[in-house]
């Protein structure tokens, strides 16, 4: 009986390290992030130039109506999902 409990304890401990079949990580690997921007392109890449004193706020949630610039759409996404995504803010100092 002691052996049975020892074996049951080992099996229960080992199962804690086996990922669940429907884990968030596994599901995320198959979900598309971009569902509306330049879908026919194999890759969406944006190049932009900033001048001295410029500041731009770029979308990272793929929900912006002004993509690649942020329009604040991530706030509704965060409220609905509990996520914490925000924009990328890039600025260049003014020339002296």
């Amino acid at each position: 009986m002691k052996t049975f409990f020892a074996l049951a304890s080992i099996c229960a401990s080992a199962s804690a390290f086996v990922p669940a079949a429907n884990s968030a990580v596994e599901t995320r690997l198959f979900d598309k992030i971009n569902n509306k921007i330049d879908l026919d392109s194999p890759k969406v890449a944006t190049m932009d130039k900033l001048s001295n004193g410029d500041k731009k706020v770029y979308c990272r949630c793929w929900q912006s109506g002004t993509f690649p610039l942020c329009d604040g759409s991530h706030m509704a996404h965060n409220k609905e999902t509990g996520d914490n995504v925000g924009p990328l803010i890039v600025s260049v100092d003014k020339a002296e």
Side-chain angles (χ1 to χ4, degrees), residues 37-38 41-48 62 67-68:
I37 298 156
D38 201 9
S41 177
K43 175 174 57 175
V44 178
T46 304
M47 293 185 69
D48 204 351
W62 292 88
F67 190 88

Side-chain angles (χ1 to χ4, degrees), residues 23-39:
S23 71
V25 173
E26 181 180 330
T27 302
R28 183 66 180 179
L29 292 175
F30 298 105
D31 289 345
K32 287 182 77 171
I33 295 171
N34 175 18
N35 293 309
K36 62 182 180 179
I37 298 156
D38 201 9
L39 297 176

Side-chain angles (χ1 to χ4, degrees), residues 65-81:
T66 59
F67 190 88
L69 300 177
C70 177
D71 68 359
S73 294
H74 61 274
M75 292 185 287
H77 163 80
N78 289 348
K79 187 174 181 179
E80 291 172 11
T81 65

